Amino acid sequence: MSENGEKLPDIQMYRDDRKLKINKVGVKGVRYPIIVRDKAAGSQSTVATINMYVELSHDLKGTHMSRFIEILNEYRGEIGINRFRAILERMKEHLNASSAHMEIEFPYFMEKEAPVSREKSLMEYYCRFEGNLSDKHDFIVRVKVPVMTVCPCSKEISVYGAHNQRGIVTVSVRFRKFFWIEDVIRMAETSASGELFSLLKRPDEKYITEKSFDNPRFAEDVVREIATKLKADENFFWFSVEAENFESIHNHSAYAYIEFS
Amino acid sequence: MSENGEKLPDIQMYRDDRKLKINKVGVKGVRYPIIVRDKAAGSQSTVATINMYVELSHDLKGTHMSRFIEILNEYRGEIGINRFRAILERMKEHLNASSAHMEIEFPYFMEKEAPVSREKSLMEYYCRFEGNLSDKHDFIVRVKVPVMTVCPCSKEISVYGAHNQRGIVTVSVRFRKFFWIEDVIRMAETSASGELFSLLKRPDEKYITEKSFDNPRFAEDVVREIATKLKADENFFWFSVEAENFESIHNHSAYAYIEFS
Amino acid sequence: MSENGEKLPDIQMYRDDRKLKINKVGVKGVRYPIIVRDKAAGSQSTVATINMYVELSHDLKGTHMSRFIEILNEYRGEIGINRFRAILERMKEHLNASSAHMEIEFPYFMEKEAPVSREKSLMEYYCRFEGNLSDKHDFIVRVKVPVMTVCPCSKEISVYGAHNQRGIVTVSVRFRKFFWIEDVIRMAETSASGELFSLLKRPDEKYITEKSFDNPRFAEDVVREIATKLKADENFFWFSVEAENFESIHNHSAYAYIEFS
Amino acid sequence: MSENGEKLPDIQMYRDDRKLKINKVGVKGVRYPIIVRDKAAGSQSTVATINMYVELSHDLKGTHMSRFIEILNEYRGEIGINRFRAILERMKEHLNASSAHMEIEFPYFMEKEAPVSREKSLMEYYCRFEGNLSDKHDFIVRVKVPVMTVCPCSKEISVYGAHNQRGIVTVSVRFRKFFWIEDVIRMAETSASGELFSLLKRPDEKYITEKSFDNPRFAEDVVREIATKLKADENFFWFSVEAENFESIHNHSAYAYIEFS
């Protein structure tokens, strides 16, 4: 599905008579190296998975799939929060569409310092930008943050110990002005029983274990803690928070989801 | 996170003062063997992945996760479309919640006959039931159907040949009265360039190849074809149709999505 | 790629002059409902992912892919440990090959009883059979068992608490005579700090938490414990044991692998 | 599981009496940003998944997991083919082990030019380095290359058309001296019916469609083509080649695997 063959027929431009507008049409799962802003280092190279769609008018047979990739190539090296809206505008224009939609997901690294030894190491988070531009503009930033949770019930009822586990917190926000993803990541990490590190020495491990046992949290507590902090920041006029605990005593997850608008 | 320890404290029932209702809390990714209705054979055994959530009132600290599994066990052997609403009601009651939500996803097999040799073989589809019960009841059935698409543009501009590929069509419906999933699967299979089989002999392969080249379809065409058929059936008062083609000339997918209500 | 078209040419039988034998050729990722033996209930329905390959002689252009599915259909309802060798023999014969190879992977459920409340619930494990038949016959059974591990180091150095997590133990065995998968699963579950259940009430949770804290285990300990038990059973003349802990304080796994022959 | 706590006990150094050496123990699934050599651009930033293991002597209870991450951090910015052996040596030394093993997997991008329009775009491949150092040193490079295959049987028996699909070719090699991954990728791409691009205009699509229909290939043909080329290059003293076609007429894959030493 491409275009511009000099004399080749352009099937996509044929008329369609089924009178059905298509909400989203485009390319999905495009893998692309990108550079994103980084609070500590200025910028960071990573690899994204990208979906790009436009609305297709009821009277057109198809869209020109190659144009989406052309636009990515135009903005190569600039794909990120700042240029997101410009890319959506370019999609509307180049694809001759009334609305454009893009989703970008990528791993993002932060350098963290172990709490006692001060050893530095990298932690990975998954970020996602999702934008839609029609008459209105909508933009959502999402980040997935691995955390540790200690079960308050297990701790309370047991003479010693408590089951704990890794979990994933997913925070999505709509916002008024630029913010650093790093700040939302820290908000999530400090709302669980404990945070994760790549590199811990024994004194760190002792510190983290004891601290997390001092802060037992259900999935329910984690989403409420984060929601309370997000509500207090008026930059975020909509958000959702999801916590999934990979329970260490069960083979399924404990889950909590809160949405605010 | 469990309950009913005779003298053990019930932390989940503690009061929470953060004044935040939690939209969904429960268990996620529970794996469970189920038996579902089968148009041809009466019933079929399969293995489901199940999510079960309730709304949690702002003044309660947590939910009782073990009760969700208890309910599954009560309905063991009966989990399916027919008992879905009963399970949601039981969730509201047993968890003392104002709304309940359940999602069940499972592979489903149909026996198909090859078009020329009449050889029989099995094809797998993924089905999903999603129900929500508060004051209102909402229920969505979704099915994922693998298909084959031949690109109309490639066929038109090339002297011979055309790129074709496997794709996945996802149909979701809200409906008035019971219908057979098999009928929606057939609707999707007959709307692409060709359908898939597990077992084909050479005369079948010749037949399918030629037939699919007689019916080239963009992802856009596939969703419009299916949408046209669903619109014509007044049993479906809402639906969405998604087509994703795993393009054989690209390393990403072509995608189209249409929603109707 | 099929066959038996009455007058249609059989390309696969064409001569190949590249003088290269192909070690494995066939079908991969076939999804198929199967019934397997179950120690407690006699039999159990599940859904398998199947790979079937034969060796292809250097002078033949291709294999007949449809014959693999024909063989599956011949043995429908009988696919399992007992008929595995018969299927491999049928593959060699029907595909006219000097060796045949098959892999079958499927979820398997066992009903377990909570340790205090005696509540019953289901746990899922992944099983895999892998067989090869040339002049010799080789057969491996593998099972993946989720477990809980409490870190001995964290427990020792912390004033209270210890990090623990879910892990997956993978046991593969070559054996002399029939054995029940259930027995190997139990061997793995009892070699970790704790075992998992779908349904636990508060007294169970207290019991399991305390018991697991009484049995802290590294990934290293888990594989050695299981290896010691397997070595003591002369039915198993080869095995490997792998433990992967989804560390709750890290975002990566701790891993140990031991092989014995 | 860490170390160096000043007065904290070092459990890992405790004696183990089970007399069982552990073949591999270490960290699995570590995510890490790396920079790799790039034939066209000099270097390329990407994100790797890393496994690092050592052998554990029978008399030691455990390994020091944090040391693996310390080594990664020492070599940050230098992880790649050239420093692989140095990292393995550092692992043996820092972990006091008789053998060390490392696996690194990462997406890798190449800029490709469309065959007619000469439009440039990026294609992604998956690379993997696997090294083992004991008395001997072993090193394997693997690359996954998406390709297009047109079925020779379908083409021959059909009056027009032929089913074709995306496939993945996996090439693994042991070699004598440095080579560019790009050259093995090109070897794989030119051995299938067609190669993939991110961006194609209509004249490109016409060209690729016709060319691929002029070069129908079974999975069997693809592995033999590549094997013939690898055999002719004496730099590769061992290799395996695997082709998996995501058949467009079936819901499973056609598969072929060849190994040479």
Side-chain angles (χ1 to χ4, degrees):
Chain A
M1 297 188 205
S2 59
E3 73 192 291
N4 263 351
E6 291 126 66
K7 307 283 159 46
L8 299 174
D10 187 353
I11 310 275
Q12 280 83 357
M13 295 304 288
Y14 285 12
R15 215 184 142 68
D16 198 281
D17 293 320
R18 283 166 289 198
K19 301 200 190 310
L20 283 164
K21 174 185 86 172
I22 300 184
N23 305 61
K24 287 178 190 165
V25 57
V27 292
K28 182 164 187 268
V30 179
R31 296 279 291 166
Y32 211 83
I34 65 170
I35 296 163
V36 292
R37 291 182 69 177
D38 177 321
K39 191 179 182 182
S43 72
Q44 173 173 154
S45 294
T46 184
V47 174
T49 303
I50 302 179
N51 307 331
M52 301 171 86
Y53 311 128
V54 292
E55 187 180 287
L56 185 70
S57 168
H58 71 88
D59 56 350
L60 286 176
K61 184 170 170 65
T63 194
H64 291 103
M65 298 285 179
S66 65
R67 292 190 189 171
F68 294 98
I69 309 296
E70 285 175 344
I71 294 170
L72 278 188
N73 291 349
E74 282 174 31
Y75 286 85
R76 190 169 166 182
E78 295 177 276
I79 297 166
I81 282 195
N82 285 341
R83 303 295 274 157
F84 213 96
R85 186 172 178 156
I87 298 173
L88 290 171
E89 273 160 9
R90 180 78 181 111
M91 285 166 68
K92 283 181 66 171
E93 176 202 18
H94 194 30
L95 277 300
N96 198 22
S98 61
S99 81
H101 187 93
M102 181 162 65
E103 297 156 6
I104 298 190
E105 197 165 313
F106 53 90
Y108 184 79
F109 289 87
M110 274 174 65
E111 192 172 73
K112 293 181 67 171
E113 214 173 60
V116 180
S117 70
R118 298 294 158 199
E119 293 270 358
K120 288 177 178 165
S121 63
L122 294 167
M123 265 290 294
E124 183 198 41
Y125 309 89
Y126 266 81
C127 297
R128 187 170 186 268
F129 301 149
E130 176 175 344
N132 195 80
L133 185 68
S134 54
D135 309 332
K136 294 176 292 187
H137 179 235
D138 185 31
F139 192 66
I140 295 175
V141 170
R142 177 186 298 172
V143 62
K144 287 185 177 287
V145 181
V147 298
M148 183 207 201
T149 53
V150 173
C151 177
C153 172
S154 169
K155 188 189 170 195
E156 181 71 21
I157 64 180
S158 306
V159 177
Y160 46 85
H163 75 82
N164 55 75
Q165 54 270 316
R166 205 191 292 166
I168 289 281
V169 168
T170 306
V171 181
S172 306
V173 294
R174 288 188 169 95
F175 54 98
R176 296 180 214 283
K177 57 182 207 300
F178 177 83
F179 68 97
W180 289 105
I181 290 173
E182 287 84 346
D183 297 338
V184 172
I185 290 172
R186 289 304 299 156
M187 201 183 276
E189 289 187 326
T190 56
S191 299
S193 300
E195 56 183 298
L196 275 56
F197 295 86
S198 285
L199 177 53
L200 295 171
K201 307 305 288 181
R202 275 206 300 277
D204 302 311
E205 192 164 342
K206 172 180 162 60
Y207 175 88
I208 285 173
T209 300
E210 292 168 3
K211 189 178 169 197
S212 66
F213 272 75
D214 290 335
N215 291 282
R217 298 275 160 88
F218 288 133
E220 293 92 320
D221 293 314
V222 174
V223 297
R224 275 177 170 146
E225 278 298 300
I226 299 171
T228 301
K229 291 171 187 170
L230 288 168
K231 269 181 73 178
D233 184 337
E234 61 180 27
N235 190 34
F236 303 114
F237 60 90
W238 174 91
F239 62 79
S240 70
V241 183
E242 188 180 303
E244 178 172 3
N245 286 347
F246 307 115
E247 300 283 287
S248 60
I249 58 169
H250 295 305
N251 203 18
H252 55 259
S253 298
Y255 179 88
Y257 172 85
I258 203 165
E259 187 174 329
F260 173 83
S261 59
Chain B
M1 297 190 205
S2 58
E3 72 192 291
N4 263 353
E6 290 126 68
K7 306 284 159 48
L8 299 174
D10 187 354
I11 310 276
Q12 281 83 358
M13 296 303 289
Y14 285 12
R15 214 184 142 69
D16 198 280
D17 294 321
R18 284 167 288 198
K19 301 199 188 310
L20 285 163
K21 174 186 86 171
I22 300 184
N23 305 62
K24 288 178 189 166
V25 57
V27 293
K28 182 164 188 268
V30 179
R31 296 279 291 166
Y32 212 82
I34 65 170
I35 296 164
V36 291
R37 292 183 67 176
D38 178 321
K39 191 179 183 181
S43 73
Q44 173 172 154
S45 294
T46 183
V47 175
T49 303
I50 301 178
N51 306 331
M52 301 172 85
Y53 311 128
V54 292
E55 187 178 287
L56 184 70
S57 168
H58 72 88
D59 56 349
L60 287 175
K61 185 171 169 63
T63 194
H64 291 103
M65 299 284 179
S66 65
R67 293 190 188 171
F68 294 97
I69 308 297
E70 286 175 343
I71 294 170
L72 278 188
N73 291 350
E74 282 173 32
Y75 286 86
R76 192 170 164 181
E78 295 178 276
I79 297 166
I81 281 194
N82 285 343
R83 303 294 275 155
F84 213 96
R85 187 171 177 157
I87 298 174
L88 290 172
E89 271 160 11
R90 181 76 181 111
M91 285 166 67
K92 284 181 67 173
E93 176 201 18
H94 193 31
L95 277 300
N96 197 21
S98 61
S99 80
H101 187 92
M102 180 162 65
E103 298 156 5
I104 298 189
E105 197 165 314
F106 53 90
Y108 184 78
F109 289 86
M110 275 174 64
E111 191 173 72
K112 294 182 65 171
E113 214 173 60
V116 180
S117 70
R118 298 295 157 199
E119 293 270 358
K120 287 175 181 168
S121 63
L122 294 167
M123 265 289 294
E124 182 197 42
Y125 309 90
Y126 265 80
C127 297
R128 187 170 185 269
F129 302 149
E130 177 174 344
N132 195 80
L133 185 68
S134 54
D135 310 332
K136 294 176 292 186
H137 178 235
D138 186 31
F139 192 66
I140 295 176
V141 170
R142 177 187 296 172
V143 62
K144 287 185 177 289
V145 182
V147 298
M148 183 209 201
T149 53
V150 173
C151 177
C153 172
S154 169
K155 188 190 170 197
E156 181 72 21
I157 63 180
S158 305
V159 177
Y160 46 85
H163 75 82
N164 54 75
Q165 54 269 317
R166 206 191 291 166
I168 289 280
V169 168
T170 306
V171 181
S172 305
V173 295
R174 287 188 170 95
F175 55 97
R176 295 181 215 283
K177 56 181 207 300
F178 178 84
F179 67 96
W180 288 105
I181 289 173
E182 286 84 345
D183 297 338
V184 171
I185 290 172
R186 290 302 300 157
M187 200 184 276
E189 289 188 325
T190 56
S191 300
S193 299
E195 56 183 298
L196 275 56
F197 295 86
S198 285
L199 177 53
L200 294 171
K201 306 306 287 182
R202 274 207 301 277
D204 302 311
E205 192 164 342
K206 172 181 161 59
Y207 175 88
I208 285 174
T209 301
E210 292 168 2
K211 188 178 170 199
S212 66
F213 271 75
D214 290 335
N215 291 282
R217 299 274 161 89
F218 287 133
E220 293 93 319
D221 292 314
V222 174
V223 296
R224 276 179 169 145
E225 277 298 302
I226 300 171
T228 301
K229 291 172 187 168
L230 289 168
K231 270 182 73 178
D233 184 338
E234 60 181 26
N235 190 34
F236 303 113
F237 61 91
W238 175 90
F239 61 80
S240 69
V241 183
E242 188 181 303
E244 178 173 1
N245 287 345
F246 306 115
E247 299 283 288
S248 59
I249 58 169
H250 295 305
N251 203 18
H252 56 259
S253 299
Y255 178 88
Y257 173 84
I258 204 166
E259 187 174 330
F260 173 82
S261 60
Chain C
M1 299 187 204
S2 57
E3 72 191 292
N4 263 354
E6 291 127 67
K7 306 285 160 46
L8 298 174
D10 188 352
I11 309 278
Q12 281 83 356
M13 294 304 288
Y14 285 13
R15 212 182 144 68
D16 198 280
D17 293 322
R18 283 167 289 198
K19 300 199 190 310
L20 284 165
K21 174 186 85 171
I22 299 183
N23 305 62
K24 288 180 190 166
V25 56
V27 293
K28 182 164 187 270
V30 179
R31 295 279 290 166
Y32 212 83
I34 64 170
I35 297 164
V36 290
R37 294 183 66 176
D38 177 321
K39 191 178 181 181
S43 73
Q44 173 172 154
S45 293
T46 184
V47 174
T49 303
I50 302 179
N51 306 332
M52 301 171 85
Y53 311 128
V54 291
E55 188 180 287
L56 185 70
S57 168
H58 71 89
D59 56 349
L60 287 176
K61 184 170 170 66
T63 194
H64 291 103
M65 299 284 180
S66 65
R67 293 189 188 172
F68 294 97
I69 309 297
E70 286 175 345
I71 294 170
L72 278 188
N73 291 351
E74 282 173 31
Y75 286 85
R76 193 170 164 182
E78 295 177 276
I79 298 167
I81 281 195
N82 285 342
R83 303 294 275 157
F84 214 96
R85 186 170 177 159
I87 298 174
L88 290 171
E89 271 161 9
R90 181 78 181 111
M91 286 167 68
K92 283 181 66 173
E93 175 202 20
H94 194 30
L95 275 301
N96 197 23
S98 60
S99 80
H101 188 92
M102 181 161 65
E103 297 157 5
I104 298 189
E105 197 165 313
F106 53 91
Y108 184 78
F109 288 86
M110 274 175 65
E111 191 172 71
K112 293 182 67 172
E113 214 172 62
V116 181
S117 70
R118 299 292 158 199
E119 293 270 358
K120 287 175 179 168
S121 64
L122 294 167
M123 266 288 295
E124 183 197 41
Y125 309 89
Y126 265 81
C127 297
R128 187 171 186 268
F129 301 150
E130 177 176 343
N132 194 80
L133 186 68
S134 53
D135 309 331
K136 295 175 291 186
H137 178 236
D138 186 30
F139 192 65
I140 296 175
V141 170
R142 178 186 296 173
V143 62
K144 287 184 177 289
V145 181
V147 298
M148 183 208 204
T149 53
V150 173
C151 177
C153 171
S154 169
K155 188 190 170 197
E156 181 73 20
I157 63 180
S158 305
V159 177
Y160 46 86
H163 74 84
N164 56 73
Q165 52 269 319
R166 206 192 290 166
I168 289 280
V169 168
T170 305
V171 180
S172 306
V173 294
R174 289 189 170 95
F175 54 98
R176 295 180 214 284
K177 58 181 205 300
F178 178 82
F179 68 97
W180 289 105
I181 289 172
E182 286 84 347
D183 297 338
V184 171
I185 290 172
R186 290 303 299 156
M187 200 183 276
E189 289 186 326
T190 56
S191 300
S193 299
E195 56 183 298
L196 276 56
F197 295 86
S198 286
L199 176 54
L200 295 171
K201 306 306 288 181
R202 274 208 299 279
D204 302 312
E205 192 164 343
K206 173 181 161 58
Y207 176 88
I208 285 174
T209 301
E210 292 168 2
K211 189 178 169 198
S212 66
F213 273 75
D214 289 336
N215 291 281
R217 298 274 161 89
F218 289 132
E220 294 93 319
D221 292 315
V222 174
V223 297
R224 274 177 170 147
E225 277 299 299
I226 299 172
T228 301
K229 291 171 188 169
L230 288 168
K231 267 182 75 177
D233 184 338
E234 59 180 30
N235 190 35
F236 303 114
F237 62 90
W238 174 92
F239 61 80
S240 70
V241 183
E242 188 181 303
E244 179 173 2
N245 286 347
F246 307 115
E247 299 283 289
S248 61
I249 59 169
H250 295 304
N251 203 18
H252 55 258
S253 298
Y255 178 87
Y257 172 84
I258 203 165
E259 186 174 329
F260 174 82
S261 58
Chain D
M1 299 188 207
S2 57
E3 75 193 289
N4 263 353
E6 291 127 65
K7 306 282 160 50
L8 299 174
D10 187 351
I11 309 277
Q12 281 83 358
M13 295 304 288
Y14 284 12
R15 213 185 144 68
D16 199 280
D17 293 320
R18 284 167 288 198
K19 300 197 189 314
L20 284 164
K21 174 186 84 172
I22 300 184
N23 305 61
K24 289 179 189 166
V25 56
V27 293
K28 182 165 187 267
V30 179
R31 296 278 291 167
Y32 211 83
I34 65 170
I35 297 164
V36 291
R37 293 183 67 176
D38 177 321
K39 190 178 182 182
S43 73
Q44 174 172 153
S45 292
T46 184
V47 175
T49 303
I50 302 179
N51 306 332
M52 300 171 86
Y53 311 128
V54 291
E55 187 179 287
L56 185 69
S57 168
H58 72 89
D59 55 350
L60 287 175
K61 183 169 170 65
T63 194
H64 291 102
M65 298 284 180
S66 65
R67 293 189 188 172
F68 295 97
I69 309 296
E70 286 175 343
I71 294 170
L72 278 188
N73 291 350
E74 282 173 31
Y75 286 85
R76 192 172 165 180
E78 296 177 276
I79 297 166
I81 281 194
N82 284 341
R83 302 295 274 155
F84 214 95
R85 185 169 177 158
I87 298 174
L88 290 172
E89 271 160 11
R90 181 78 180 110
M91 286 167 68
K92 283 182 66 172
E93 175 202 18
H94 194 30
L95 276 300
N96 196 23
S98 61
S99 80
H101 188 92
M102 181 163 64
E103 297 156 5
I104 298 189
E105 196 165 313
F106 53 90
Y108 184 78
F109 289 86
M110 274 173 66
E111 191 172 72
K112 293 181 67 172
E113 215 172 62
V116 180
S117 70
R118 299 291 158 202
E119 293 270 357
K120 286 175 180 168
S121 63
L122 294 166
M123 265 289 294
E124 183 198 41
Y125 308 90
Y126 265 81
C127 297
R128 186 171 187 269
F129 301 149
E130 176 175 343
N132 195 79
L133 185 67
S134 54
D135 309 332
K136 293 176 292 184
H137 179 237
D138 185 31
F139 192 65
I140 296 175
V141 170
R142 179 186 297 174
V143 62
K144 287 184 177 288
V145 181
V147 298
M148 183 208 203
T149 52
V150 173
C151 177
C153 172
S154 169
K155 189 192 169 195
E156 180 72 20
I157 62 180
S158 305
V159 177
Y160 45 86
H163 74 83
N164 56 74
Q165 53 269 317
R166 207 192 289 166
I168 289 280
V169 168
T170 306
V171 181
S172 306
V173 294
R174 287 189 170 96
F175 55 97
R176 294 179 215 284
K177 58 182 204 301
F178 178 82
F179 67 97
W180 289 104
I181 289 172
E182 287 83 346
D183 297 338
V184 171
I185 290 172
R186 290 302 299 155
M187 200 183 275
E189 288 187 326
T190 55
S191 301
S193 299
E195 57 183 298
L196 275 58
F197 296 86
S198 286
L199 176 54
L200 294 171
K201 306 306 288 181
R202 275 208 298 280
D204 302 314
E205 193 165 342
K206 172 180 161 60
Y207 175 89
I208 285 174
T209 301
E210 293 169 2
K211 189 178 170 197
S212 66
F213 273 75
D214 290 335
N215 291 282
R217 298 274 160 89
F218 288 132
E220 292 94 319
D221 292 315
V222 174
V223 297
R224 276 178 169 147
E225 278 299 299
I226 299 171
T228 301
K229 291 171 188 169
L230 288 168
K231 268 182 75 178
D233 184 337
E234 60 181 28
N235 190 34
F236 302 114
F237 61 90
W238 174 91
F239 61 79
S240 70
V241 184
E242 188 181 303
E244 179 173 3
N245 286 347
F246 307 115
E247 299 283 289
S248 61
I249 58 169
H250 295 304
N251 203 18
H252 56 258
S253 298
Y255 178 87
Y257 173 84
I258 203 165
E259 187 174 330
F260 173 82
S261 59

